[in-house]
Amino acid sequence: MEFSDLIRTGRAQAKLLRGPEAPPLRGTLCLTGHHLLLSPGPQATSELWLLLLRSVDSIEKRVASDSGTITLRCKDLRVLQLEIEGVEASLDIARSIEALSSLESVITSFPFFYRPKGLRLGDAWHFHPPERYYKRVARETNAWRLSEVNEDFSVCPSYPRAVIVPRSVDDGALARSARFRQGGRFPVLSYHHAPSGTVLVRSSQPLTGPQKRRCAEDEELLRAVLAGARPGARGFIVDTRSSQAAKQARMTGGGTEAKTAYPGWKRLHRPLERGQPLQESFVRLVEACGDPQQSTDSWLRRLEGCCWLAHVKEALSTACLAAQGMEREGACILVHGAEGTDSTLLVTSLAQLILDPLSRTMAGFQELVEREWIQAGHPFQLRCAHSAFSHARPKHEAPTFLLFLDCVWQLGRQFPLSLEFGEGLLLALFEHAYASPFGTFLCNSEKERCLCEVRTRTHSLWSGLNQPKEQRKLRNPLYAPNPLAIWPSVELQSLRLWQGLFLRWIRPPEPSEVAWEKVWQIVTDKEKTKLSQPTVSASEPQL
Amino acid sequence: MSRDAHPPTDARRRAAGGGQGRRGRRGRALEGAERGPGAKQPGNGGGARSPRVSRMASAPTSKYNSHSLENESIKRTSRDGVNRDLSETVPRLPGETRITDKEVIYICPFNGPIKGRVYITNYRLYLRSLETDSALILDVPLGVISRIEKMGGATSRGENSYGLDITCKDMRNLRFALKQEGHSRRDMFDILTRYAFPLAHSLPIFAFLNEEKFNVDGWTVYNPVEEYRRQGLPNHHWRITFINKCYELCDTYPALLVVPYRASDDDLRRVATFRSRNRIPVLSWIHPENKTVIVRCSQPLVGMSGKRNKDDEKYLDVIRETNRQISKLTIYDARPNVNAVANKATGGGYESDDAYHNAELFFLDIHNIHVMRESLKKVKDIVYPNVEESHWLSSLESTHWLEHIKLVLTGAIQVADKVSSGKSSVLVHCSDGWDRTAQLTSLAMLMLDSFYRSIEGFEILVQKEWISFGHKFASRIGHGDKNHADADRSPIFLQFIDCVWQMSKQFPTAFEFNERFLITILDHLYSCRFGTFLYNCESARERQKVTERTVSLWSLINSNKDKFKNPFYTKEINRVLYPVASMRHLELWVNYYIRWNPRIKQQQPNPVEQRYVELLALRDEYIQRLEELQLAGSAKLAEPSTSPAGPSPMMPHVHTHF
C-alpha cells in the first residue's frame, strides 16, 4: 500500500487557528504520508508549521458553502482548527488525515523514516540493557543472576531477553514457574535496595484457578527471593487488585498466592484503578479542563468527579507502602495485579523513585523508564493508541504511563530539589509515548520490537533528548543530589492538578517559564565561575 | 485521633525524606522541631493492612512544633531541648513579663495528649513538653486567642476531660487538660482571659509594653506626601488638601487627601453630606501615562426616596473631566446588585443612571463581611483538626472560599483593566468603603503598579489603602477584645492577602517578597506585638500616639529583609499583571490554612529558599568578579551573560524536528 493512495487531496489554501494565544497562520496546506504542513507563502515571515499525523487523536469536520473547517484534537491535548478553502478539498483532506493518522502498521510509521541531522542510527539503544542494571546489582549482592532463559522470547513473550532472577533457581525452574504465571511473567527482580538488603520483585498473577493449583518451582522461586535477602527477611505480596477481584480471577484461571503455599510471604491488597475506568477518568478530566463554558462554581466538584487525583493518590500511597516495606521493615516486596504490565509497573517504578537517588537523575530516570516500562513490557502501542479525545470506544487504551508521569510530577513538586529532571522531560515523555518520530515507545514488547527491527531502523528518543540543545528545557536547574528516600505526602490536600499538562494549551503562556529561565541563568552563571576548575558532573549515575 | 494512628515511624520517615539531602541534615538539626509526623502512612489507613506498622509504635521522637512566628530563640531552645531553666528556655521579648506557669496536658489533635509545662506571660502562651520522647513546643501570642472555654466540670469522668479549650484566630484550637482537684484551672482561665482580652480588664495591649528595638523604623515607611509625589501628584488636575487635618470632614479618613483641583473645600464638605460616613470620593492612584485614576469612596445616601445631590453629581463629573479624553466615568459597586438595592432601606444606595449621566455603574457581586466570615468558618471546619478526607474537593467547593477569592480578583482585574486601557477613570465603592473597596483598590494597584510589588512598596500599599483609609482592623480582628461572636469580625484582610498569594503563585517573578512575608503579616495581624494593625482609623491611632508608643511590624521585616525576599524577583517597570481568576487556576493556600496539620505539611520551603539564596549569592559573586575583571581592563570578558535565548516555549516536538 502506498501512502499516496490515501491522500485524496495533497494541498489546499488554509488558515490555521492554534488557540487563543497564538496568532492564526495562513498559507498552503500540504499533506504527506506522515505530516500535515502549512507553508505560509514566500513573503510571510513565519516558519513552516508541521504536525505529525500520528499525533491526531480525533477529527471533526464542518462545511459551509465554499469552505470547510476541520478540528483536530491531538494526543498531546492540543486542539487545532483548520479553515480550508473549498468544500471538496476540505472533505478530502479530512478523510486523508483520518486514514493516515490511524494506520496500524508499525514499520510504515514515521520513526522508520525519520533521519534527523546529528544523530546516528543505533545510538543509545544499548544505553540501558538489562545487563547494565545487573552489573549494578551484582556489585551489591551475589544472590541474583542474569538469566537468558527468555533468549528467544518463548518463555515469556512480554519480557526482555535477559532477566534478573535468584541465583539458586535454574532456568528449568524458571520456565516452569512461567507456565504458572499469566503471560509467562514469572517473578523477576525489579530493584535491589542495597541499604536494607531487600528486593522489589514483580510478576503477573499466579494461575491458581478454581482448583487452587500450586507450582513447586514458583514457590521455590519466591522462597529463594527471601533466602537471598537479608537474613530473616519476610515478604509482602502487594496485589494491586482488591481481594474480591483477586478471588474472582480464579474463575478465569488466575488468582493469587495461597498463604500456605508461600510461607514467609503475606499478601496485601491495594486496589488500583486500571483499564477502562482509568481511561474514562482521563477523558472526563480533559473534557472538564477544556470545557469552554466552564460553569465556574462547580469546577472543584467536577475535578473531584473525574477521580484522577484520587488515582494519583492511590498510586503514590501503594508505592509508598512497597517502599516502606523495604526500607523500614526490611521486607521483600512482590508486586503484581493480573497481567503485571500496568499498575504493577506503576508501583515498582514509583517505589524506586522514592528510594533510589540514582533513579532521580536524568540518566537514571531514563534508565528507569526504559527498564521498568519499555523492556518490562508495558504495551505502549495498545495503551497509547488513543489519547483523551478519541470517539472510538476504548479497547485497550489506558493512561497508566501518564498516571506514572503525573505521580512523578507530584514528587517533583513536593521535592523541588531532588529530581534532576524537570517538568519538561515529563511532558516530552507524555507526548512521545502517544506519538513520536522516535522508535522508543513503538510496539508492545521487546519481542515485537525485535521483529520490527526497531532498534536498528529507528532513532532512540533518548539520543534525541540527550542532545545538548534539549537539556535546558528538560533539566531541573535547582537539582541537588539527595541521598535519602523522598517520602511524599499523599493527602489530597498535598496533591495538585498538573496544570502544565492538563491546562497546557488553555492557559496563557506561563510566567513560570520565565522563572525557570531566570534560575537557569543563575545556574549557568555559577557554572561559568567554576570553569577554571572542571568537576565531574554529580549527575552521572555510577551504574 | 489516637496516637496509634500516626506511629512515630512516620515521623522519622518523614523527617528523613523531608530533608532534601545534605541541606536537610543540617536543617534537621536546626529545625527538627518544626517537622511533623509527615505523610500519612499509606499502609495504615486501614490499620490491619500493614501489620508491621503498629509494632513499631514505640520508636523514638516525634518532634513537632506549632509555632510559626519569627523567633530565633525558639529554635535554639528546641535544639537542645533539655535545659529546663525557665529564664533560658522560654523566649521573652523586651517588655514581656512572666505571669505564671503550670503543668498541663496538651491534647494535641495529631499526636494525642502530651504532658507539658505551660508558661504564660503578658504576651504569649508557651508550652514545652515534659515527655522525654517529644520535643513539642507551642508558642502562641495571646493576641491570637479569640475564645477561651472551660471543658468538663468538677465531676467530669474520663481521662483529660477537664480543662480549657482555646479557639484561635489563626485556624486552630488548643486544648489543655488539667487536674480536677482544687480549682486548678480557674487560675489559668482567669489569667489567660485577663491577658488575652486586656480591653475588658482595662489593661494595655501588649504592643504598648513591647520594648523591642530595631535598627530600622517601620513607621517612616509610609509618608503620604512622598507616595503621592511618587505618583506625580499634585498636578494640574489634582491637588493635595489638608481639609481633613483634624479629621473633621471624615473621621475615618486620613488627614491628607487628594481631590480634583477644581473642587473647592466647600464642595468637598457638601459632597460629604451625601456619602455614607462622609467618605467622599478621593484619589487612590493615577496612571502615570494616560492619567486615568482610581477613586474610592462610600455609597451615596440615596435612600428609599431616591434622593439626589447636585454637588455629588457635579463632583463626579469633575473627576471624570480631569481626563479630557474620557466620556464616561466607570463606577464599580463592589456589592451584589440586590444588596445595593437593599441598602436603600437604611439610607444608602447607588448612583442611578438618571442622576449621573456621565457615569456607568457595574456591580461586582462581592459578598459582605458576614458571608466571608461564615465561609472561612467552613474552611476551618474542613481542615481543622481533621482534614476532610472523603470528598475533599467538593467540601472545599461548598465553603465557597475560593469562589469569593475569584470574585474579588475578578473585580480588581476589571478595575485595573479599565484604568490601564485609558478608557475610563474608575470610582470604587461598596457600602462604607473600607472593606471590599480597600480590597479592590489595593489589588488593582498591585496589578497596575510594579512599585507595590516590592517589599517596601507593599508595606506602603497596606499602610495607605488599608490602615490610613480606615479598614476597621480593631473591629474586624477584635484585638484584645473578648466578644468572639462580634458580628463586626471578618477575615477581609486575610482574604486580600490570600488574593496576593494567588497572584504571586501565578507570577513567580513579579513580587519581591515571598510566602513567609505574607504569613508573617498575617501572624502579626493578630499577635498584638506591633502597633501596625491596631485601631480602626488614623484619628484613633493619632489619639493613642501609636507611632510613638508602639513598634511597627515593618521594623521587624525591614531589619531582616533577606528572609522575606523572593529570589526569583525580576524588577519590571510598567508591567500590568492580570492574574487568571478562573477557579482552575486558584488553589487553597495550604501552607497557611492547613499549616498546623503535620501530615499535610509539604516539602519544607526552607531548603528551596536556601538553595535559591545560595544561587543568588553565587551570582552576585560572579557579577562582582566580572566587574573586577572589567576594571582590570579585560574587555573581552566584559559581556555579562544576561542574554540567553528567550524562554523556549515548549513547542511540540515535531516543530523542532523537521
Side-chain angles (χ1 to χ4, degrees):
Chain A
M1 176 209 62
E2 291 290 319
F3 291 125
S4 53
D5 300 345
L6 298 170
I7 302 174
R8 291 152 170 264
T9 296
R11 90 191 27 235
Q13 291 303 308
K15 182 168 98 176
L16 170 73
L17 304 168
R18 294 177 292 173
E21 293 306 312
L25 286 181
R26 272 169 217 283
T28 312
L29 193 71
C30 301
L31 202 57
T32 73
H34 295 111
H35 287 99
L36 192 62
L37 297 93
L38 192 79
S39 161
Q43 70 276 27
T45 50
S46 55
E47 285 170 36
L48 188 76
W49 176 87
L50 182 66
L51 179 76
L52 190 64
L53 286 174
R54 184 82 198 149
S55 67
V56 173
D57 204 26
S58 82
I59 304 170
E60 214 178 276
K61 41 188 187 282
R62 266 201 334 259
V63 287
S65 56
D66 58 349
S67 70
T69 304
I70 302 179
T71 306
L72 299 175
R73 288 173 218 279
C74 300
K75 289 174 182 164
D76 61 4
L77 311 183
R78 248 183 319 172
V79 178
L80 303 165
Q81 260 191 2
L82 282 167
E83 285 170 14
I84 297 170
E85 282 175 25
V87 176
E88 265 317 294
S90 67
L91 286 177
D92 280 350
I93 283 180
R95 277 183 217 121
S96 309
I97 295 176
E98 226 157 340
L100 288 166
S101 63
S102 55
L103 287 180
E104 293 202 348
S105 151
V106 172
I107 51 165
T108 58
S109 67
F110 184 60
F112 288 84
F113 300 86
Y114 181 53
R115 296 293 175 262
K117 276 192 207 124
L119 294 185
R120 271 184 308 134
L121 272 182
D123 253 4
W125 268 116
H126 295 284
F127 204 45
H128 317 286
E131 292 81 0
R132 177 101 177 243
Y133 181 66
Y134 176 68
K135 270 188 199 147
R136 178 179 160 192
V137 175
R139 273 202 305 272
E140 296 165 349
T141 168
N142 195 31
W144 296 80
R145 70 184 179 94
L146 196 67
S147 163
E148 297 193 344
V149 67
N150 199 36
E151 176 65 37
D152 55 358
F153 305 110
S154 61
V155 173
C156 171
S158 61
Y159 271 172
R161 291 178 193 273
V163 289
I164 305 172
V165 296
R167 185 171 295 282
S168 60
V169 180
D170 64 33
D171 283 358
L174 294 178
R176 277 188 293 278
S177 165
R179 284 203 287 278
F180 184 61
R181 295 274 173 179
Q182 181 172 3
R185 295 176 69 92
F186 57 91
V188 296
L189 181 91
S190 166
Y191 171 61
H192 177 250
H193 186 242
S196 67
T198 57
V199 290
L200 183 63
V201 178
R202 56 177 158 73
S203 69
S204 61
Q205 64 179 343
L207 300 174
T208 50
Q211 288 90 34
K212 301 195 182 172
R213 285 197 311 135
R214 290 175 58 166
C215 168
E217 289 81 2
D218 193 71
E219 291 163 22
E220 178 202 332
L221 209 167
L222 285 190
R223 234 185 348 261
V225 167
L226 291 186
R230 65 168 191 101
R234 305 206 325 163
F236 286 107
I237 297 169
V238 178
D239 192 321
T240 62
R241 303 162 295 179
S242 67
S243 62
Q244 204 191 353
K247 258 187 215 126
Q248 271 169 4
R250 264 199 243 134
M251 305 316 294
T252 49
T256 186
E257 291 81 357
K259 230 177 256 171
T260 47
Y262 298 88
W265 289 91
K266 186 168 170 56
R267 226 171 48 228
L268 304 171
H269 290 277
R270 303 286 297 178
L272 295 182
E273 202 58 90
R274 64 194 78 218
Q276 205 166 320
L278 193 62
Q279 176 73 10
E280 279 162 13
S281 167
F282 175 41
V283 169
R284 279 203 306 273
L285 177 60
V286 170
E287 225 171 66
C289 289
D291 188 351
Q293 292 105 28
Q294 43 162 325
S295 41
T296 51
D297 38 21
S298 63
W299 161 247
L300 290 175
R301 213 171 294 263
R302 203 160 163 191
L303 184 59
E304 180 175 284
C306 300
C307 294
W308 183 260
L309 286 174
H311 300 324
V312 170
K313 177 189 159 124
E314 287 311 316
L316 274 174
S317 46
T318 307
C320 281
L321 177 75
Q324 192 196 19
M326 284 190 279
E327 206 213 16
R328 294 288 173 222
E329 317 202 2
C332 294
I333 306 285
L334 166 66
V335 185
H336 71 69
E339 294 164 315
T341 54
D342 293 277
S343 36
T344 302
L345 306 180
L346 183 63
V347 174
T348 57
S349 54
L350 285 173
Q352 289 178 59
L353 267 176
I354 291 169
L355 290 176
D356 182 14
L358 282 183
S359 71
R360 295 177 223 137
T361 63
M362 192 72 167
F365 184 69
Q366 294 179 6
E367 192 256 4
L368 182 75
V369 171
E370 179 78 29
R371 178 165 54 84
E372 285 297 283
W373 287 90
I374 297 170
Q375 293 175 11
H378 177 66
F380 278 99
Q381 197 184 336
L382 291 173
R383 298 291 180 258
C384 301
H386 281 289
S387 165
F389 291 124
S390 169
H391 301 301
R393 246 179 78 81
K395 291 187 292 260
H396 304 289
E397 288 84 355
T400 320
F401 187 63
L402 171 61
L403 185 60
F404 163 71
L405 295 175
D406 197 332
C407 292
V408 177
W409 180 83
Q410 307 280 352
L411 277 173
R413 208 187 70 84
Q414 292 190 28
F415 298 91
L417 308 185
S418 296
L419 304 184
E420 193 184 14
F421 48 92
E423 185 179 47
L425 178 66
L426 302 177
L427 290 173
L429 291 181
F430 164 66
E431 261 176 49
H432 288 281
Y434 279 88
S436 172
F438 295 100
T440 299
F441 288 109
L442 288 180
C443 305
N444 293 307
S445 64
E446 282 299 285
K447 183 183 179 184
E448 291 181 17
R449 275 184 282 273
C450 274
L451 287 174
C452 298
E453 298 173 274
V454 167
R455 290 194 175 187
T456 46
R457 295 178 52 200
T458 73
H459 284 283
S460 155
L461 173 63
W462 310 126
S463 48
L465 291 182
N466 291 334
Q467 296 174 90
K469 61 174 180 175
E470 302 287 330
Q471 294 305 298
R472 201 140 157 146
K473 63 181 186 203
L474 304 179
R475 280 178 189 266
N476 172 11
L478 293 172
Y479 175 64
N482 175 0
L484 303 170
I486 51 173
W487 301 103
S489 167
V490 299
E491 301 294 325
L492 276 178
Q493 293 75 21
S494 304
L495 304 177
R496 294 282 176 283
L497 176 70
W498 184 5
Q499 293 195 347
L501 188 128
F502 293 106
L503 299 179
R504 183 176 174 189
W505 310 106
I506 295 154
R507 79 169 285 174
E510 289 188 327
S512 73
E513 282 170 13
V514 182
W516 211 239
E517 187 54 36
K518 188 170 155 65
V519 179
W520 265 120
Q521 245 169 285
I522 298 171
V523 173
T524 322
D525 288 352
K526 176 183 113 183
E527 276 158 9
K528 274 183 193 151
T529 59
K530 278 189 180 165
L531 268 185
S532 51
Q533 33 188 317
T535 46
V536 179
S537 165
S539 59
E540 283 299 316
Q542 279 103 50
L543 288 173
Chain B
M1 194 166 299
S2 78
R3 207 179 259 213
D4 292 339
H6 314 290
T9 347
D10 291 341
R12 282 192 301 146
R13 201 158 63 79
R14 177 63 173 189
Q20 290 279 1
R22 284 167 303 181
R23 239 167 305 282
R25 278 189 199 154
R26 196 175 59 213
R28 211 158 50 241
L30 289 173
E31 294 148 18
E34 286 196 325
R35 200 161 280 120
K40 186 183 173 192
Q41 204 281 350
N44 69 354
R49 279 182 188 152
S50 178
R52 287 304 182 91
V53 172
S54 53
R55 276 221 218 152
M56 304 192 51
S58 59
T61 11
S62 109
K63 288 188 167 183
Y64 157 56
N65 178 0
S66 302
H67 88 87
S68 82
L69 298 182
E70 298 306 322
N71 204 321
E72 289 307 319
S73 55
I74 295 168
K75 283 180 183 161
R76 259 182 272 122
T77 346
S78 56
R79 185 170 40 177
D80 51 62
V82 279
N83 196 334
R84 296 280 155 89
D85 181 23
L86 172 67
S87 57
E88 259 190 56
T89 55
V90 178
R92 220 179 304 163
L93 298 170
E96 184 177 354
T97 53
R98 203 194 124 193
I99 310 294
T100 185
D101 63 86
K102 189 174 216 74
E103 204 168 291
V104 299
I105 289 169
Y106 168 58
I107 304 170
C108 174
F110 313 108
N111 291 328
I114 294 166
K115 201 156 91 175
R117 179 165 286 276
V118 66
Y119 303 88
I120 299 170
T121 72
N122 56 352
Y123 170 65
R124 79 183 89 207
L125 179 158
Y126 187 87
L127 174 125
R128 194 146 36 78
S129 157
L130 293 174
E131 287 176 27
T132 46
D133 65 344
S134 160
L136 178 125
I137 282 177
L138 280 182
D139 186 5
V140 186
L142 298 179
V144 149
I145 295 175
S146 109
R147 178 182 197 184
I148 307 169
E149 285 169 289
K150 294 175 180 166
M151 55 177 194
T155 56
S156 290
R157 305 256 160 188
E159 212 182 337
N160 302 330
S161 60
Y162 177 82
L164 296 176
D165 187 344
I166 298 173
T167 308
C168 298
K169 296 169 183 174
D170 60 355
M171 311 291 287
R172 60 176 158 168
N173 280 44
L174 305 171
R175 303 180 84 177
F176 299 106
L178 292 130
K179 292 197 188 78
Q180 249 147 319
E181 57 266 18
H183 302 295
S184 71
R185 110 183 130 177
R186 187 193 289 163
D187 249 20
M188 188 166 158
F189 179 82
D190 288 347
I191 286 170
L192 278 178
T193 307
R194 222 170 128 79
Y195 290 96
F197 310 126
L199 292 191
H201 300 87
S202 321
L203 286 170
I205 283 181
F206 178 75
F208 291 100
L209 304 170
N210 185 3
E211 292 165 11
E212 276 178 283
K213 297 275 180 290
F214 292 96
N215 53 19
V216 185
D217 181 7
W219 292 123
T220 61
V221 163
Y222 177 56
N223 175 333
V225 176
E226 266 175 37
E227 164 57 15
Y228 288 122
R229 192 175 295 147
R230 187 191 67 84
Q231 292 190 23
L233 298 168
N235 64 15
H236 288 313
H237 295 287
W238 294 90
R239 67 188 178 98
I240 292 180
T241 172
F242 294 92
I243 185 177
N244 202 34
K245 194 171 61 187
C246 305
Y247 308 103
E248 282 164 333
L249 178 77
C250 170
D251 60 354
T252 58
Y253 261 5
L256 194 143
L257 299 169
V258 176
V259 295
Y261 194 81
R262 281 178 47 213
S264 70
D265 283 1
D266 283 340
D267 291 337
L268 300 179
R269 284 191 193 94
R270 283 193 294 271
V271 171
T273 61
F274 192 63
R275 288 280 163 179
S276 172
R277 299 177 197 268
N278 303 337
R279 294 172 68 94
I280 58 167
V282 295
L283 179 140
S284 270
W285 191 77
I286 183 164
H287 194 285
E289 275 138 38
N290 66 36
K291 302 298 176 194
T292 53
V293 294
I294 299 175
V295 168
R296 63 182 289 171
C297 60
S298 61
Q299 64 181 339
L301 299 175
V302 174
M304 294 298 274
S305 57
K307 266 187 296 194
R308 290 179 54 167
N309 180 307
K310 285 284 169 215
D311 295 296
D312 192 73
E313 291 162 23
K314 201 181 110 205
Y315 183 70
L316 259 51
D317 218 37
V318 168
I319 291 174
R320 178 184 63 82
E321 283 174 353
T322 59
N323 184 324
R324 300 269 173 209
Q325 268 91 58
I326 59 178
S327 55
K328 289 253 184 196
L329 177 72
T330 307
I331 301 174
Y332 284 112
D333 188 326
R335 301 167 290 185
N337 193 344
V338 279
N339 296 31
V341 173
N343 259 290
K344 285 189 178 177
T346 49
Y350 54 90
E351 294 82 355
S352 67
D353 289 347
D354 307 339
Y356 300 84
H357 298 295
N358 295 325
E360 262 182 308
L361 178 90
F362 300 96
F363 294 101
L364 294 177
D365 290 325
I366 301 169
H367 285 277
N368 62 23
I369 60 166
H370 311 293
V371 175
M372 301 309 180
R373 182 180 56 237
E374 294 315 309
S375 172
L376 185 68
K377 223 175 246 171
K378 286 185 196 151
V379 173
K380 183 172 174 183
D381 286 345
I382 63 164
V383 302
Y384 194 93
N386 301 315
V387 171
E388 176 68 40
E389 298 268 350
S390 50
H391 296 285
W392 164 246
L393 290 174
S394 43
S395 308
L396 179 60
E397 186 144 78
S398 60
T399 68
H400 298 291
W401 182 253
L402 289 176
E403 214 180 306
H404 295 313
I405 297 278
K406 185 192 115 176
L407 285 171
V408 172
L409 275 173
T410 309
I413 291 168
Q414 291 185 59
V415 173
D417 186 47
K418 258 302 179 259
V419 170
S420 131
S421 70
K423 283 193 198 108
S424 168
S425 284
V426 168
L427 179 131
V428 183
H429 71 72
C430 45
S431 297
D432 289 316
W434 51 41
D435 293 308
R436 287 165 278 197
T437 302
Q439 289 179 330
L440 291 169
T441 57
S442 55
L443 285 170
M445 287 158 75
L446 201 60
M447 292 169 195
L448 290 163
D449 190 340
S450 59
F451 171 73
Y452 297 122
R453 297 174 215 145
S454 66
I455 288 182
E456 289 213 8
F458 189 77
E459 292 167 358
I460 287 170
L461 183 70
V462 169
Q463 203 75 45
K464 177 179 184 299
E465 287 303 300
W466 290 85
I467 299 173
S468 86
F469 271 96
H471 172 67
K472 302 205 294 173
F473 281 103
S475 306
R476 297 287 174 260
I477 308 301
H479 294 125
D481 176 52
K482 68 177 192 319
N483 302 313
H484 62 87
D486 193 329
D488 254 351
R489 295 206 184 167
S490 186
I492 300 302
F493 187 72
L494 164 64
Q495 198 171 47
F496 158 70
I497 296 288
D498 193 331
C499 291
V500 176
W501 179 81
Q502 304 281 356
M503 282 178 70
S504 73
K505 285 291 276 189
Q506 294 191 17
F507 300 96
T509 62
F511 295 86
E512 192 191 6
F513 46 82
N514 57 17
E515 185 177 57
R516 176 191 270 194
F517 175 76
L518 297 177
I519 293 181
T520 303
I521 290 176
L522 289 177
D523 281 340
H524 292 296
L525 174 66
Y526 308 118
S527 78
C528 293
R529 177 169 153 194
F530 301 102
T532 304
F533 296 115
L534 298 184
Y535 301 102
N536 281 333
C537 56
E538 203 176 281
S539 61
R541 255 169 243 123
E542 208 154 284
R543 275 199 302 281
Q544 301 294 336
K545 300 196 169 54
V546 167
T547 55
E548 294 159 42
R549 295 170 56 211
T550 73
V551 181
S552 161
L553 167 59
W554 317 131
S555 304
L556 171 89
I557 286 172
N558 293 356
S559 61
N560 204 349
K561 256 191 189 169
D562 281 348
K563 246 162 104 178
F564 302 104
K565 274 190 181 158
N566 165 19
F568 279 149
Y569 178 53
T570 318
K571 201 168 176 178
E572 289 166 300
I573 316 291
N574 296 339
R575 178 181 172 205
V576 183
L577 302 186
Y578 293 116
V580 185
S582 117
M583 285 295 281
R584 288 166 208 200
H585 295 99
L586 300 178
E587 51 181 273
L588 186 75
W589 188 7
V590 169
N591 284 350
Y592 181 75
Y593 298 107
I594 322 187
R595 64 176 158 159
W596 308 120
N597 190 331
R599 291 197 286 142
I600 307 299
K601 197 153 240 168
Q602 299 184 12
Q603 173 64 39
Q604 293 282 314
N606 305 4
V608 188
E609 274 174 25
Q610 182 63 35
R611 176 106 172 110
Y612 291 154
V613 170
E614 277 174 27
L615 291 172
L616 280 178
L618 279 162
R619 185 183 63 165
D620 290 348
E621 190 186 315
Y622 166 69
I623 289 170
Q624 198 189 336
R625 224 191 274 184
L626 200 69
E627 279 166 3
E628 284 165 14
L629 286 171
Q630 280 173 331
L631 281 177
S634 172
K636 275 189 184 172
L637 275 168
E639 278 175 37
S641 70
T642 47
S643 55
S648 48
M650 294 180 186
M651 296 303 278
H653 207 84
V654 282
H655 283 220
T656 50
H657 288 268
F658 179 53

